[in-house]
Amino acid sequence: MFATPLDWVLNLLILQGLMGAFDTVYHHELTVGLPQRPGARKELTLHAIRALLYGVVFAALAHVQFHGLWVAAIAALVLVEVGLTLWDFVVEDNSRKLPSTERVLHTVLAINGGALFGLYAWQLADWASLPSALVSLDSGWRGCLLSVFAAGVALSGVRDALAARKLGQAAATPNPFTGLPHQRVLVTGGTGFIGEALVSQLLAAGHNVTVLARNPLNAAYLFQGRARCVPALEQLHSGEQFDAIINLAGAPVVGPRWSPQRKAQLLASRVGTTQALQAWLARANHKPATWIQASAIGYYGVRPANELLNEDSRAGQGFMTELCARWEESAQPAQGQGLRLVTLRLGLVFGPGGALLPLLLPHRFGLGGRMGDGRQIMSWVHRDDVLGMIARALSDSTMQGTYNAVAPEAVSQADFARTIGRLMHRPVFLHLPAAPLRLLMGEMAQLFFDGQRVVPHRLQSHGYVFRHPTLAGALRALI
């Protein structure tokens, strides 16, 4: 028996759904992290409207025949969907550089969609001559599968709508760089989790920003051409004028096992970049006034839960201590060039995306629990406060030296898990044993199963007021 045009329509619609799901999960969620990107609100809003309409289209084409005047109604809905898709393509091209795989997939989706709607138009032409009616259609297994797709794409639309709303709320929060004297800022690590938000807020406040980025074209798309993006410090000539350097560059410490090669990569991404900055500074005719240097509380190593660690506490032991100590040491020559050096030892930074996402993921599925015995201390900080500290360091000439960039309320990992469970209304019962994961991850397991109780003594003595001083308040704002 030959397949009818409607059979082909349903087959192509299933293929469209599969490719669309891959595009959403792989590109938008995993590759780009679109729901967490500060500049993605418009794109997410379009995705939300498209996805909700697609849910209607999937369900309608799978279960209903449109006869007579109803042909005009479904045709209008399809045309609106096509128009939104074309608009979305334009917005995506203007807001970010799409990876090649996403461009290819969009082309295939467009070809498949053209064939799909062309065949459906053929079918609608036959139905147009019939008396006006909505007639139930039994599509068998295809109908069942497309019903699942309809629900999935509609949920995706709701998720994108909520993400767009969250980004809108974030945009409405006070920008700590507004009102500061005009700054010309050189930023390294400007496309990272902290750096992207930092550069976006500096630009929104009217400051001039130059970003050191391995891929300057991606960075230019990310900041919509508003920031100057350079791939290497060698491209900065000696006459460049900057008021401040903010050095955030560094490969993520969570990743492959810390082999000797991996440790060398982590050191080079931090110490090597900082040394290159020092080399440019030595030949610069105009010296910046301020150097803000990132570091981490890993400087203190693994410490007992009851030991309070302030900025005067001794360094610990292990690779994280070495990494942070050498990173901070590589920035010290800036003081000899007359710069005011402010070093921020960052705790675990929470914000939309970043380290919080993998910590929340098991809880979303009701599989949350403590890690190890749960007594290890988590010293954390909200990204909004990190940006506030940087703004304070730029404007306050009395700030100099090292500061613990952590919230006042450090908590045990077990308390952290319980707080998430309470806020997300999820059980907290699936506890991860430490021994097998320590064996699997090696020294990197310290990041998950060990900790230190760090206090922001110097920040508080400078009168810094935290926007998110408590864990429950910070997580509530993010979840």
Side-chain angles (χ1 to χ4, degrees), residues 207-229:
H207 302 288
N208 290 345
V209 183
T210 297
V211 179
L212 177 67
R214 288 189 302 272
N215 192 325
L217 184 58
N218 280 343
Y221 269 94
L222 182 61
F223 301 117
Q224 300 177 336
R226 296 175 298 151
R228 175 190 177 198
C229 303

Side-chain angles (χ1 to χ4, degrees), residues 104 111 121 159 173 212 215 234 254 270 282 346 394 417 420 475:
V104 170
I111 294 171
R159 187 246 195 301
T173 57
L212 177 67
N215 192 325
E234 289 74 17
V254 177
R270 289 164 171 77
L346 297 165
L394 282 174
I420 291 179
L475 292 178

Side-chain angles (χ1 to χ4, degrees), residues 18-34 96 99-102 105:
L18 292 171
M19 290 191 294
F22 176 81
D23 188 34
T24 298
V25 173
Y26 180 73
H27 290 126
H28 298 169
E29 295 284 345
L30 300 179
T31 304
V32 182
L34 204 60
R96 60 188 175 92
S100 56
T101 54
E102 190 170 0
L105 185 56

Side-chain angles (χ1 to χ4, degrees), residues 180-193:
L180 268 60
H182 182 265
Q183 300 275 338
R184 296 162 296 183
V185 187
L186 172 62
V187 179
T188 71
T191 58
F193 173 60

Side-chain angles (χ1 to χ4, degrees), residues 15 115 121 211 309 311 399 426-427 443 468:
L15 182 59
V211 179
L309 301 168
E311 291 82 357
M399 282 187 68
R426 298 291 195 278
E443 192 177 358
H468 302 280

Side-chain angles (χ1 to χ4, degrees), residues 50-187:
R50 274 185 58 210
L52 292 169
L53 286 180
Y54 249 129
V56 176
V57 169
F58 273 83
L61 269 62
H63 298 291
V64 180
Q65 293 184 14
F66 296 86
H67 294 179
L69 294 177
W70 284 104
V71 167
I74 189 64
L77 179 62
V78 169
L79 287 174
V80 169
E81 187 67 40
V82 171
L84 285 171
T85 298
L86 295 175
W87 187 11
D88 182 44
F89 286 170
V90 173
V91 170
E92 286 180 337
D93 274 338
N94 288 335
S95 62
R96 60 188 175 92
K97 184 179 181 299
L98 273 63
S100 56
T101 54
E102 190 170 0
R103 286 192 177 277
V104 170
L105 185 56
H106 283 184
T107 302
V108 176
L109 280 164
I111 294 171
N112 187 76
L116 158 66
F117 293 127
L119 283 170
Y120 195 59
W122 185 6
Q123 179 64 72
L124 288 178
D126 289 341
W127 288 343
S129 60
L130 299 176
S132 297
L134 296 175
V135 180
S136 177
L137 173 65
D138 182 7
S139 303
W141 66 270
R142 295 184 186 89
C144 294
L145 183 58
L146 288 170
S147 295
V148 174
F149 284 4
V153 74
L155 287 173
S156 173
V158 172
R159 187 246 195 301
D160 285 344
L162 292 174
R165 179 173 177 267
K166 178 71 74 173
L167 290 176
Q169 291 172 340
T173 57
N175 184 334
F177 300 97
T178 300
L180 268 60
H182 182 265
Q183 300 275 338
R184 296 162 296 183
V185 187
L186 172 62
V187 179

Side-chain angles (χ1 to χ4, degrees), residues 281-304:
L281 185 64
R283 67 176 187 271
N285 297 329
H286 173 87
K287 308 296 184 186
T290 307
W291 180 309
I292 299 175
Q293 172 68 32
S295 183
I297 60 173
Y299 173 89
Y300 301 110
V302 177
R303 306 295 269 268

